[in-house]
Amino acid sequence: MIYRTHNCGELCIQDVGKTVILSGWIQKIRNLGSLFFIDIRDYFGITQLFFYKKFDNIILRLGKEYLIKIEGKVVKRYSKNYNISTGEIEIIVSKIDILNSSITTPFTIEDKTDGKEEDRMIYRYLDIRRNPIKNNLIIRHNITLEIRNYLSHNGFIEIETPMLINSTPEGARSFVVPSRIHIGKFYALPQSPQLFKQLLMIGGIDKYFQIAKCFRDEDARSDRQIEFTQIDCEMSFVEVDDILIFFERFIKHIFKNINNVQLDTFPCISYYDAIKTYGTSCPDIRFEMLFIELNNLVQKNNISFLKNKELIVGIKTEKFYYTSYDKINSFFKKINNKHFLWIKYLPNKNLIFSNQNFLTKDILKIFLKYFKANPGDFLFISYGKKNKTREFLSKIRLKIANHFNLKNSKIFSPLWIKDIPLLEWEEKKNKYKSVHHPFTSPKEEDIHLLEKNPENIRSKSFDLIINGMEIGSGSIRIHNKKIQNLIFKHLGLSKKEIESKFGFFIKAFEYGTPPHGGIAFGLDRLINILEKNENIKNFIAFPKNNYGKDMMINAPSFLKKEKLKELHLD
């Protein structure tokens, strides 16, 4: 049986006179009494069909999303539609077959649907019929293909690593899989292919990559799924700059070839400078508003109310001058923090206002002068404990950008963050944990700090931030057995635990491990940034919701008692 001679998106004026067969879903039906028009849709596009009254018995039985097969002649279309590729022709139908019927869909299969996200996730297979989702999946395919081609042409080979592994301490919780054969034992799903790609380097592979599925048992959100895809890469005989230079070229290539966007050279700053200047390790540098520390100013001018605060830091914005005061006031109402003050310097030079009574006009002028403020500028100042003060002002900075539309979606501003701390103290567990992962190499000049000041050790790690979102993260790996064991020790692992969890890995270090390093990019996030979208679910064929649940297949679900017994879990 021939289902089609052509698809629904390819016929054009040159095909007039041809007899064709098409198959597809009904998009629209227009009943004009003696004449009927149907728009038929498939993966490739839409074609208008024309029926005479003799088909009225079968036409009246049809509905939207019915799957039909037709045979007919291509003719010029009287009322042309230049919004679709087939808009200059239509098909006079001579034969029609119903291939399958359809009940009424839970939402309209249109580009601008009336479907809520929950309904569209339950009936995801219907949502995929809509152009926005279908085209997103095509975009994802094209980006993935471009990635594979670029890395392959630059000496990387794609290697698959195991999905059923042992659980390793990489920061997040692992999903576990019970073993039926090995009673009481469990596999874990990989949070990343980290150990295996390092073992590949030990195995003599020079450059590896993988479009890898990874799993983390943590809260999902709009920019993260519990099941996600990363572009995983590793290289032998490299240092930090080798990786940054190559993958800056890689990202530039992707943006140029996918979106025709030419990126400038990526600036590079240390983690400590990022925190000091922006209050976050993921700064959005599309707009200014750099942090200015004010402790010295406060001490010098004896501003008593602020004198004993651990940190006083502020930002200046020049954008409010062009903004209505209703919008300004609505913004201020959203800010609720007792360790925060703002200063309005209105266009009239004599008008200066603040939300704190202790700030006299003389004090206000001191701040305005220090910030080199001009009429129309606004100052935002946060004070208190160092970490919380910077964190709060960083949030204010982003709120300002969001509220006053300072984020230009057409601008892409990549930034490398280097020298990230190797370890951080975990209060609840009363021990250190790795900021990246336990296999990240410390900077040689900081290794002596391991015994006395571990939290001050900088690592040979780096993050790629684009428009305030972490897109990639990598490091030079430890290739020395003594240093690796030392890091494990500072993470609170006993010799027995090291042997149990990493014995095979430490053993591999005894066979000439090369210096190596790598990086992993979040594919979902990268696509999201490229397409200026706000929700990665739009670019995943079958995503989970924000609670990690698959609404369509209702996973996770309970197992029957027989299955639990089979797995020795009853």
Side-chain angles (χ1 to χ4, degrees), residues 150-326:
Y150 186 87
L151 293 174
S152 298
H153 292 157
N154 280 277
F156 288 75
I157 64 169
E158 187 170 10
I159 302 174
E160 295 179 356
T161 53
M163 300 297 282
L164 295 173
I165 63 172
N166 269 338
S167 179
T168 56
E170 291 191 50
R173 297 183 187 89
S174 296
F175 284 98
V176 293
V177 181
S179 171
R180 177 183 59 84
I181 298 172
H182 305 283
I183 299 173
K185 293 186 176 182
F186 296 81
Y187 298 102
L189 298 179
Q191 295 183 33
S192 78
Q194 185 61 45
L195 288 179
F196 292 99
K197 65 179 179 180
Q198 290 191 240
L199 289 168
L200 287 170
M201 300 301 105
I202 297 173
I205 300 299
D206 194 66
K207 294 184 182 75
Y208 139 97
F209 85 96
Q210 182 179 186
I211 310 296
K213 273 288 185 184
C214 303
F215 307 85
R216 292 183 183 176
D217 187 6
E218 56 186 13
D219 294 339
R221 55 191 191 210
S222 62
D223 66 344
R224 178 185 293 166
Q225 291 264 296
I226 58 173
E227 175 184 356
F228 60 97
T229 307
Q230 69 183 34
I231 310 157
D232 201 59
C233 306
E234 199 78 5
M235 309 163 77
S236 285
F237 304 106
V238 290
E239 261 301 342
V240 170
D241 286 347
D242 300 310
I243 297 175
L244 299 192
I245 289 168
F246 177 81
F247 285 102
E248 181 170 321
R249 289 204 308 266
F250 164 74
I251 292 294
K252 285 180 176 179
H253 173 87
I254 298 301
F255 273 80
K256 180 65 177 174
N257 282 47
I258 297 298
N259 272 2
N260 197 30
V261 171
Q262 186 69 53
L263 296 176
D264 294 330
T265 300
F266 299 4
C268 184
I269 64 173
S270 73
Y271 170 88
Y272 300 96
D273 285 340
I275 296 297
K276 187 175 180 179
T277 309
Y278 300 100
T280 176
S281 60
C282 296
D284 191 333
I285 60 172
R286 283 175 293 177
F287 46 93
E288 286 286 332
M289 290 188 283
L290 307 184
F291 284 19
I292 297 175
E293 294 189 9
L294 303 168
N295 288 62
N296 290 338
L297 179 73
V298 167
Q299 295 297 329
K300 181 180 177 182
N301 291 277
N302 197 27
I303 303 174
S304 57
F305 179 81
L306 297 171
K307 209 171 181 181
N308 297 321
K309 306 303 179 186
E310 188 173 304
L311 177 68
I312 308 112
V313 63
I315 55 176
K316 177 182 75 173
T317 178
E318 303 168 358
K319 292 292 182 182
F320 288 177
Y321 182 86
Y322 306 101
T323 307
S324 73
Y325 287 104
D326 286 341

Side-chain angles (χ1 to χ4, degrees), residues 39-104:
D39 288 347
I40 185 176
R41 181 196 72 242
D42 65 6
Y43 172 87
F44 301 95
I46 291 175
T47 299
Q48 180 170 283
L49 309 178
F50 174 79
F51 295 82
Y52 287 109
K53 188 172 175 58
K54 67 177 182 177
F55 288 101
D56 60 352
N57 285 336
I58 192 167
I59 296 291
L60 294 174
R61 289 161 44 202
L62 299 176
K64 285 186 176 183
E65 298 307 309
Y66 271 55
L67 188 65
I68 60 172
K69 170 192 167 187
I70 64 93
E71 185 174 336
K73 187 177 180 180
V74 181
V75 298
K76 286 184 181 180
R77 184 167 168 171
Y78 177 74
S79 178
K80 294 180 173 53
N81 179 0
Y82 294 107
N83 293 321
I84 59 175
S85 59
T86 60
E88 293 186 272
I89 60 94
E90 62 186 5
I91 313 295
I92 297 178
V93 177
S94 57
K95 185 179 179 182
I96 178 171
D97 292 311
I98 299 175
L99 299 179
N100 228 323
S101 61
S102 173
I103 61 174
T104 302

Side-chain angles (χ1 to χ4, degrees), residues 420 436-437 440 460-463 472-477 518-520:
I420 297 160
H436 266 185
H437 52 64
T440 302
K460 290 185 174 182
S461 58
F462 37 84
D463 291 341
S473 184
S475 68
I476 297 299
R477 322 305 186 186
I519 190 168

